[in-house]
Amino acid sequence: AQSVTQLDSHVSVSEGTPVLLRCNYSSSYSPSLFWYVQHPNKGLQLLLKYTSAATLVKGINGFEAEFKKSETSFHLTKPSAHMSDAAEYFCVVSDPNRGQFYFGTGTSLTVIP
Amino acid sequence: DAGITQSPRHKVTETGTPVTLRCHQTENHRYMYWYRQDPGHGLRLIHYSYGVKDTDKGEVSDGYSVSRSKTEDFLLTLESATSSQTSVYFCAISRAKGGNEQFFGPGTRLTVL
């Protein structure tokens, strides 16, 4: 079975400081993993995805994530937070055989000026 | 942006009335999904479709039905709306299962009084 745990429901950082949003997954298969961002009252936008190629994945807007199989983690990072990064972030794992996706409960990122 | 539209974007209805939400795509993607988003729960899968007339239940399918008579359209019906179905509903599409990402529509905000 596939599942995702986002370890922090809320994260606050100061503008210009690093961002770390944590995600652990459980999967019976070699997983495909995704991070999505949702700005207030908007739909979800793909930040990046991992599909068994390079373990360090670069996404849009300076975000990246590292797949660590031994730790079953896929944490999202950014070196320097910007005010526009304030949003809800979702970690997602897919079931490769059924075409289903499993969402974490989300992490709300606040960026303090 | 992927060509996904949802209609209506906002709806207020009364308990016991039927409601149909429509998702329309112009990408010719095989997979289509309906999710609901509620605070503290992330996105939860209601139903999904893996082809015309091929659908399956998700984790929160009770009280919902779906139909897909054309590749481009996926309808979600609440046969008799209840207040617990007040939520934001998102449609998503995916080209195939496995490592392919989902693209999301803008969402429909449904209020059941």
Side-chain angles (χ1 to χ4, degrees):
Chain A
Q2 278 66 247
S3 67
V4 168
T5 302
Q6 292 185 243
L7 300 166
D8 306 292
S9 57
H10 301 277
V11 170
S12 290
V13 299
S14 296
E15 189 176 18
T17 64
V19 175
L20 170 64
L21 305 183
R22 298 182 295 166
C23 172
N24 287 115
Y25 70 90
S26 173
S27 178
S28 305
Y29 312 97
S30 293
S32 291
L33 293 157
F34 309 84
W35 276 99
Y36 285 84
V37 61
Q38 184 182 32
H39 288 94
N41 300 311
K42 299 290 187 182
L44 280 76
Q45 180 185 16
L46 179 69
L47 275 178
L48 50 81
K49 68 176 182 179
Y50 167 78
T51 55
S52 74
T55 57
L56 183 62
V57 181
K58 294 187 183 300
I60 62 172
N61 300 334
F63 284 94
E64 62 182 38
E66 186 171 8
F67 172 73
K68 292 187 176 180
K69 186 176 180 179
S70 61
E71 300 176 9
T72 61
S73 69
F74 191 56
H75 301 334
L76 182 70
T77 60
K78 183 174 181 178
S80 176
H82 191 273
M83 294 299 295
S84 61
D85 295 328
E88 189 88 11
Y89 292 79
F90 293 96
C91 183
V92 182
V93 64
S94 71
D95 180 333
N97 295 316
R98 299 185 65 195
Q100 289 192 36
F101 295 77
Y102 300 87
F103 283 73
T105 52
T107 298
S108 177
L109 177 65
T110 298
V111 182
I112 303 166
Chain B
D1 290 346
I4 311 169
T5 56
Q6 293 184 231
S7 58
R9 295 291 314 281
H10 301 271
K11 186 171 182 66
V12 179
T13 191
E14 294 189 349
T15 298
T17 60
V19 176
T20 295
L21 308 182
R22 179 181 184 238
C23 177
H24 179 79
Q25 61 147 328
T26 58
E27 305 295 324
N28 200 36
H29 282 8
R30 180 182 174 188
Y31 285 78
M32 298 186 76
Y33 307 80
W34 277 108
Y35 293 92
R36 60 177 289 172
Q37 183 177 28
D38 305 289
H41 291 277
L43 273 75
R44 292 181 292 175
L45 182 65
I46 305 171
H47 283 278
Y48 70 106
S49 169
Y50 47 96
V52 174
K53 292 185 169 46
D54 291 323
T55 64
D56 204 351
K57 296 179 179 180
E59 65 175 301
V60 291
S61 60
D62 287 348
Y64 301 94
S65 62
V66 290
S67 66
R68 191 169 179 200
S69 59
K70 297 185 291 185
T71 297
E72 57 266 35
D73 289 324
F74 192 33
L75 304 181
L76 176 71
T77 298
L78 291 66
E79 301 290 349
S80 178
T82 67
S83 59
S84 65
Q85 294 175 312
T86 292
S87 189
V88 180
Y89 292 84
F90 285 98
C91 175
I93 63 174
S94 180
R95 187 169 61 246
K97 59 185 179 183
N100 291 274
E101 63 268 33
Q102 292 181 306
F103 300 96
F104 285 84
T108 294
R109 185 173 296 275
L110 176 67
T111 302
V112 184
L113 302 175

